[in-house]
Amino acid sequence: MVLSYREALNQAMREEMRRDPRVFLIGEEVAYYQGAFKVSKGFIEEFGPRRVIDTPITEAGFTGLAIGAAMAGLRPIVELMTMNFGIVALDQIVNNAAKIRYMSGGQLSVPMVIRGPGSAAHQLAAQHSQSLEAWFCHVPGLKVIAPAAPCDAKGLLKSAIRDPNPVIFIEAQLLYGTKGEVPEGEYTIAIGVAEIKRPGRDVTVVAYSKMLLLALEAAEHLSREGIDSEVIDPRTLKPLDLEPIVASVRKTGRLVIVEEGWRFGGLGAQIAESVYAAAFDYLDAPIVRVVGEDVPIPYSRPLEDAAIPDLPRVIQAVKSLC
Amino acid sequence: MATTMDRTDLLSLYRQMLLIRRFEEKSAEMYALAKIAGFLHLYIGEEAVAVGAIAALRPDDYVISAYRDHGHCLARGSEPGKVMAELFGKATGLCKGKGGSMHLVDVEKRFMGGYAIVGGHLPLATGLAFASKYQSLDQVTVCFFGEGALPSGQAHEAFNLAALWKLPVIFICENNRYGMGTPVERAVALYTDITETARSYGIAAEQVDGMDVLAVRSVMRRVVEQVRATGGPFFIEAKTYRFMGHSMADPAHGHYRTKEEVEEYRKRDPLLLLKQTMLSQNLANEADFKQLEQEVGAVVAASIKFAEESPFPAPAELHEDVLME
């Protein structure tokens, strides 16, 4: 069936909440408002206020509360209205969720999902447009997932909810309305498994979240010019499934990484380092990154467009290698 | 003060406080010998708060604390040897040597940990209480923290959520007068009565003499019963004092308080107060206390021996427990 990304997330959480009474959804506007982006539409009606919990605007407070509840054996899903607000809860995420298992010598675990949209939408300005996945990926003890396709979003969110660890699940406002084929019935997708979204032989393009759509669009354009791109979506950013990327690079000898986050210290730098270490001899050219500019995201449309990767830049980057 | 006093009961409370006192003194000694490193925050002077409060709990209640956590962990019944081994960074420690002094955890005893970002564990406490309420269990959660955590935003977020959702959590503010070297008067706007902070969120609150173990336990018994029966948070300010420095890095009094002030508070040493009560009521004699000293001394000595003789964690442990399989 064809579902929107939003509907796929809704189904994933709904199925898991029906399956496991320990799972509950907590966040700002998740209940009666039906979610700031309507991801939890119909939840308050089906599950009631005990399991679908509106919070005040207090991200550190309710994220910390959810961590405590997870320590006591529940399975919270925390919805951050946007990932930007995760910064307010960063002490809880980094100092508690990620470390409690290790600090306790394995006595405690924190089975929870923290999800919400990251990256820029349209002209939301500097505080609401950030791609912070590199921050979360930097911290041992967290898993980080950023799917692009509705089928991946559903299968991975279900796996994240069942995972015994804290999982950061990054969506995107501009993905919520996108549609795609989603399998009927029960399925999950394993965390830490990349997928080749478009096979090709000339160049490898790694892209995740909404940058995947850009990479696939670029691949279509380039194919008309005779350049055959292999597009890989890591889907899970940490743990990163390096093997298919390396295998592809061994075949193509060229790698482009597309990410919306800032260049300096960005996730693509880590992917590039891993590929250099594993497949340096197979590369015919240096790895090229298409990235966000190292500036706060500006409001003005032309400036915003200039700050984040777009189709011409992805096409140009691939062409520079082929 | 409790009206009926039982010799065995009071001796047991005294013994628990004495264990913490001697354990902490020995820890300081081991620190000087470099057997223990990092940050070490001693609970000496504040024993009556942990012992009195935890004595009012059931084994299935949750306890969570900040970084000055040895006393709470021992009062909850953790094995002294495992606690000392943790301070030594040994594989046999409560947390296999990965947590250390500030991050003791003993899940079997429902001691859910010591946390060292000031104010950061108060939201966790609301979550433990939330889990009890969610599952319709009548457990309570007791959350210890210093008055230095009161101005932190996370504390206020926790108070608000606990009151808003009527969570069964008891916040025990151990007001020892100083957040490191900063007196409460220079840190907390409502310093003349910090329970006002809780009351402003609609949380019932009261003060207790944190040097009097019987007073602490008496208040806690009533509060625990109330919270267990009717839900809702409670806030207790335990007025106490730390006899030692903030950590091993500073002397007992330092520049921020006088020797005389410390000596003045030492006159209300919680062990001394209980001992005087027992002696004056003819519930114990000097020989009883001497015997307790010997017993506790042996327990602490055994904890050191256990820690000394235990191995350090194997190198392979480094990568264990990061994620759960």
Side-chain angles (χ1 to χ4, degrees), chain A residues 21 23-24 50-51 53-54 58 60-61 64-65 67-69 71-72 91-92 96 101-103 105 107-108 165, chain B residues 62 94-96 98-99 105-107 115 117 120 123-124 126-128 130-131 134 154 157 165 318 320-321 323-324:
Chain A
V23 179
F24 66 95
R50 177 174 162 269
R51 299 181 68 195
I53 301 158
D54 276 334
T58 178
L65 181 144
I67 295 166
M71 289 161 66
D91 174 51
Q92 288 298 333
N96 290 336
R101 180 161 186 82
Y102 197 81
M103 292 196 303
Q107 292 181 78
L108 288 167
N165 299 288
Chain B
Y62 290 114
L94 279 178
C95 307
K96 302 195 264 186
K98 289 175 176 172
V105 175
D106 193 345
V107 170
Y115 297 86
I117 302 296
L124 300 182
T126 64
L128 296 167
F130 173 92
Y134 183 90
Q154 297 205 57
E157 295 192 28
W165 296 341
L318 179 64
E320 295 297 319
D321 304 320
L323 290 169
M324 193 171 179

